[in-house]
Amino acid sequence: MLENIPTQEELNELLGAKVFEVWECIVNYINETYVMETLWDIGRKAGKYEMKFRKGGKTLCTLYAREGNFGFMIIYGKSEREKFENKRSLFSEKIQAYYDDAKTYHDGKWIMIDIFDFAHVEDIKNMLEIKRKPNRK
């Protein structure tokens, strides 16, 4: 856990103004759609900072802040993989490629998407809804 959570200004400087807008868009969508705990940590190999959204010990997704971009990580278990496969054609070819290239471990398929602009925001929203139904009224 981080002792000092990065400020909006620090994130804006790290990500760049355009990418920070995308970060904010995704974070706001999650906060408006889900009741989640937010945990910050160092990002290690995946980025400078890690922002994890969890509820009840289960992670919805993780964002990794990096210089000029960020990573969006979601882990799909067996049932989520089946749902994704059933809706596969609704996702962009790039997201399908990220899905296909993701490694599957004993606990699920770890999908990391590199975010540089708004191109994948709608796909990410749909991926989140496969992972967990919205729980905020």
Side-chain angles (χ1 to χ4, degrees), residues 8 30 36 47 68 71 79 86 92:
Q8 301 289 71
I30 293 169
M36 292 281 147
S79 67
N86 290 335
S92 68

Side-chain angles (χ1 to χ4, degrees), residues 24-64:
E24 287 278 275
C25 177
I26 291 172
V27 169
N28 289 339
Y29 173 78
I30 293 169
N31 288 330
E32 291 167 3
T33 310
Y34 300 95
V35 175
M36 292 281 147
E37 180 182 5
T38 304
L39 304 172
W40 284 90
D41 204 348
I42 56 172
R44 295 172 187 77
K45 292 180 183 177
K48 184 170 182 178
Y49 301 111
E50 169 187 287
M51 182 183 195
K52 189 174 289 191
F53 293 92
R54 294 178 61 109
K55 181 170 183 187
K58 294 189 176 190
T59 300
L60 175 68
C61 68
T62 307
L63 305 180
Y64 294 95

Side-chain angles (χ1 to χ4, degrees), residues 125-137:
K125 290 177 182 179
N126 291 328
M127 292 179 82
L128 287 167
E129 290 185 15
I130 286 174
K131 178 75 178 180
R132 180 174 288 188
K133 289 181 185 172
N135 62 2
R136 187 177 290 278
K137 301 282 184 206

Side-chain angles (χ1 to χ4, degrees), residues 46-90:
K48 184 170 182 178
Y49 301 111
E50 169 187 287
M51 182 183 195
K52 189 174 289 191
F53 293 92
R54 294 178 61 109
K55 181 170 183 187
K58 294 189 176 190
T59 300
L60 175 68
C61 68
T62 307
L63 305 180
Y64 294 95
R66 308 176 187 138
E67 182 91 25
N69 71 86
F70 67 93
F72 170 85
M73 167 76 76
I74 193 163
I75 301 170
Y76 278 170
K78 185 177 180 186
S79 67
E80 290 101 1
R81 291 194 307 270
E82 289 172 5
K83 290 175 189 175
F84 183 91
E85 290 294 339
N86 290 335
K87 297 180 177 186
R88 184 180 181 90
S89 64
L90 301 176

